[in-house]
Amino acid sequence: MTTPLDDVEFLARSAHRVHVLETLHRGATTRGDLRDRTGIAQATLTRTLDDLVERRWARKRGRVYELTPLGVALAVEFADLLETVETMQRLQSLAEWLPAFPFDLRLLADATVTLPTDTDVLAHVGRVERLLDGADSSWVLAGSVFHESLERQHRRSTGRGQRQVAVLSAAALERARSDPELRQLAADLLASGCVDVYRYDGTVPVMLGLVDEVALVAPLDESGVPRGLVESTDPTVREWVATTLREYVEGAEPVTATAFTG
């Protein structure tokens, strides 16, 4: 007697079987139409169809092949498995540092993942800046402050009137206070009334953001620098980011311009 793992291995071992199963799941069709739609050679297609029929995943009615109820269930579950595996592969480089998400990771199937490269080690940071440049409002939790980033936020806020709420680690704020240029930029930003800043004294292991309708998740290294970026527009992901940001704000202290002018 075959085991479930035997059937999974049997299906996964042949890309043709998966392709035919997926195609039949979209609707019953003839062998000739299957050949045209899949591009599988006639002899291989015949063996593949015979395999599916033998396992009662498909059946033939006249000239038409269709999935059985077993085949439909298998097609749905296998597609979910492939989607999950694909998502895991895309997140693999950041998996060690990602937070414990309370939602199904398949919700990140359509997420955009940006990683540093040999030719652009700050590709993910640049992506965040470009998203912020085009936004009307943003809400971020960060563990570091960069001079260029603060300059760009100054232009967004004072020039375009972009509203931002920023929860910053104590270390990031202290760095800004110790740098004369950063201190002046921060003071001007807070004085503009376009930015609300909060100081968080605990550990900030991940950068989170809501940039208009886009949720951002970026695990941080020991210096508070993002290791990579995951962005998603899924409503459940956005709601989790928003809830987590609210929790950080509740545990933080408001910062005023006097913190940088005194």
Side-chain angles (χ1 to χ4, degrees):
M1 180 177 177
T2 60
T3 67
L5 187 58
D6 291 332
D7 278 346
V8 171
E9 182 182 2
F10 174 80
L11 180 60
R13 198 167 58 234
S14 169
H16 294 316
R17 292 178 192 136
V18 175
H19 198 179
V20 170
L21 187 75
E22 292 173 339
T23 304
L24 287 177
H25 188 229
R26 291 192 285 269
T29 188
T30 64
R31 187 196 308 263
D33 186 50
L34 268 174
R35 185 181 63 246
D36 293 340
R37 292 166 65 182
T38 64
I40 300 173
Q42 182 67 41
T44 302
L45 181 60
T46 297
R47 288 195 303 272
T48 301
L49 286 168
D50 289 346
D51 288 339
L52 298 184
V53 170
E54 181 182 351
R55 274 176 162 70
R56 296 183 174 84
W57 297 343
R59 60 192 170 206
K60 185 181 181 184
R61 294 182 184 275
R63 297 177 57 249
V64 173
Y65 286 87
E66 65 181 8
L67 292 185
T68 64
L70 292 177
V72 170
L74 179 62
V76 170
E77 292 300 323
F78 199 75
D80 285 347
L81 175 61
L82 288 178
E83 183 176 297
T84 299
V85 172
E86 181 183 6
T87 301
M88 297 307 99
Q89 289 177 334
R90 295 170 61 240
L91 296 174
Q92 193 169 18
S93 297
L94 298 175
E96 181 181 349
W97 304 286
L98 286 172
F101 296 120
F103 50 78
D104 190 330
L105 285 180
R106 284 176 293 186
L107 294 179
L108 295 174
D110 295 327
T112 299
V113 179
T114 306
L115 299 171
T117 66
D118 291 339
T119 57
D120 188 357
V121 295
L122 293 178
H124 51 307
V125 176
R127 175 62 180 167
V128 173
E129 293 296 343
R130 289 191 296 275
L131 287 168
L132 287 169
D133 283 344
D136 293 323
S137 63
S138 61
W139 188 1
V140 299
L141 165 72
S144 59
V145 176
F146 298 102
H147 189 279
E148 181 182 352
S149 298
L150 204 56
E151 281 188 328
R152 291 176 74 156
Q153 186 56 45
H154 190 275
R155 291 195 295 271
R156 296 182 200 113
S157 299
T158 59
R160 295 181 48 238
Q162 183 190 94
R163 287 289 305 158
Q164 184 182 71
V165 176
V167 183
L168 301 176
S169 68
L173 285 169
E174 288 306 313
R175 178 176 180 273
R177 279 176 52 85
S178 64
D179 183 305
E181 291 187 13
L182 286 177
R183 186 169 64 244
Q184 187 59 54
L185 282 170
D188 291 345
L189 269 173
L190 285 163
S192 73
C194 294
V195 177
D196 295 326
V197 176
Y198 295 83
R199 175 191 175 113
Y200 185 76
D201 289 326
T203 302
V204 178
V206 62
M207 188 208 89
L208 296 176
L210 281 178
V211 182
D212 288 344
E213 297 301 311
V214 181
L216 308 180
V217 180
L220 306 177
D221 65 16
E222 297 77 7
S223 301
V225 178
R227 298 176 185 271
L229 174 68
V230 179
E231 57 186 274
S232 173
T233 56
D234 181 87
T236 300
V237 179
R238 293 203 314 266
E239 180 55 33
W240 175 77
V241 170
T243 299
T244 306
L245 285 170
R246 283 193 290 269
E247 291 172 354
Y248 271 96
V249 168
E250 290 171 1
E253 295 292 331
V255 176
T256 64
T258 56
F260 296 93
T261 57

